[in-house]
Amino acid sequence: MTSPQTKYFTTPIYYVNGDAHIGTAYTTLAADTLARYWRAQLGPDNVRFLTGTDENSQKTIDAAAAAGLAVGPYLNQMAQRFRDCWDTLGIAYDDFIRTTEPRHHHHARALLQKMYDQGDIYAGEYVGLYCTGCESFLKENELDEHGHCPHHQRPPQQIKEQNYFFRLSKYSDQIIALLEGGLIQPESRKNELLAFVRAGLEDISISREGAQIGISCPWDESHKVYVWTEALINYYSAIADTPHEHFWPSAIHLMGKDITRFHAVIWPALLLSAGLPVPQLVFGHGFFTVDGTKMSKSLGNVIEPLTLSEKYGNDAVRVGLLSAFEFGNDGDFSQQTFHQLYQTKLAGGIGNLFHRVITLVNKYYDGVKPTTDLPAEVKSHTDTLKATYHRAFTDYKLKTAIDTLFAVVDTANQHLNDTEPWKAFKVDPEATKDIFTVQLHYLTVITELAAPLLPEAHQTMHSILQPDQPTVTPSQILYARLDTPA
Ligand code: MSP
């Protein structure tokens, strides 16, 4: 069913009632890092990376009105702002889908029609509570002590209307089997979802009668498809009927744990109903707080990824976010720790090491790389670290991958301090070549492992080291030390 030869990474498509923020940047950077890694392993043609925007939402209409713009121009402006933000952060997506695009309308309608023809969609009356913040129905027992949506701290709307329903309950056993069979990672998410499905799945409403924006139901044009139902289909719309169609079903859907229920329960059921194979994996990563508190506009602790990147650069934003805690767990992003990481691991660590070694090779040997033998124990140590790094990527342990890269840097720095080639050279320049053989080996390994994690420095390191050439080029500063505090 799944093809190990191809990988199709996706992020959630983000709502456009606000700009990209550090939370959405987290998932998008994780997806980009994984896509970069796997492109190198499988070949660029075997990896695809999709992101985009979820536009057919009531939130959009409200936000456009607040911005004093008509919906169309507002959407164009916001989708462009998302693209610009990802481009500035160095995110190399292969495709960007907007749910207002004709390709998405076409495929969403075609898939829904298949479900309808299958007898899985029926008319009924929906009476219940709806939160426009979540764009989702809520049950009484999901409200907080004030009767409010716990995520948006406001009362849900009472809704009573004619809706179309999807027979989700029919797919319970198949969904349980899929979850048990490894559809979702990490393990904690699997247990949460299995408990939810085993408690009994109800059929779900999939249309809205009065919605002002959205995709019409093909069998009843007076109804709009519920935004979540059609939004999920974006992953398929982006590749269906294109030369990339074979990427289905090798999809690896990355997202925060807030929306795993939609992706690992509802989405596979919709696909089964439409006669399509289910995705390879749903990965629900954790949520982070900022300096110990939930990020919120009212608290004023929202961090803009572009502001961080302006000060520290894109590589720092990437490893700063992805190494704050292990991918899959919840954690905290502390600005102080981030600043420290930049100063010690990037400027003082990898940057300083590279600069020192390359400067010395230029000074002592006119940039000619020494060709003495590499001690076997050095190679075996870096081979072990490389194996840890590759296993980490296979297991989605992005923090472990980053920590392993820094472990090579620490090993190299230790070796440099222990051997003190600047002293050794004065005594025996020829013998000192052994030290530089080891150092250049470390730098080569660091450059290789840094490709998906520090893509900007990787480019520079690669051009300085020139792996296929007998010489190195003059050194460059990879990460300037900052004098300003966090
Ligand atoms: N539009 C829906 C997704 C539809 S997918 C078919 C949506 N959009 S969203 O703009 O609200 O983005 C939610 C996602 O943003 C989360 O699933 C997660 O990927 C990311 N995050 C938002 N805040 C975050 C944190 N504080 N921590 C980690 N991830 C965060 O839901």
Side-chain angles (χ1 to χ4, degrees), residues 249-268:
S250 60
I252 298 168
H253 298 313
L254 305 171
M255 72 206 63
K257 62 180 181 176
D258 52 332
I259 55 175
T260 48
R261 220 182 256 189
F262 287 103
H263 283 83
V265 177
I266 298 175
W267 177 222

Side-chain angles (χ1 to χ4, degrees), residues 13-15 23-24 27 54 228 231 235 256 258-259 285-288:
I13 44 171
Y14 301 113
Y15 289 129
T24 48
T27 317
D54 191 353
W228 257 108
Y235 306 122
D258 52 332
I259 55 175
H285 65 68
F287 258 59
F288 60 83

Side-chain angles (χ1 to χ4, degrees), residues 49-99:
F49 168 22
L50 172 74
T51 188
T53 42
D54 191 353
E55 303 187 359
N56 300 312
S57 158
Q58 180 61 37
K59 290 171 191 280
T60 297
I61 297 176
D62 299 344
L69 286 174
V71 175
Y74 175 79
L75 288 174
N76 291 340
Q77 175 188 306
M78 291 308 290
Q80 191 56 46
R81 287 173 73 97
F82 267 87
R83 276 176 177 274
D84 290 346
C85 178
W86 301 152
D87 291 345
T88 309
L89 290 177
I91 288 165
Y93 49 86
D94 295 302
D95 193 3
F96 188 102
I97 190 164
R98 300 177 53 186
T99 55

Side-chain angles (χ1 to χ4, degrees), residues 233-256:
I233 301 174
N234 88 84
Y235 306 122
Y236 183 70
S237 306
I239 53 172
D241 292 342
T242 77
H244 310 292
E245 186 150 16
H246 63 283
F247 277 96
W248 200 263
S250 60
I252 298 168
H253 298 313
L254 305 171
M255 72 206 63

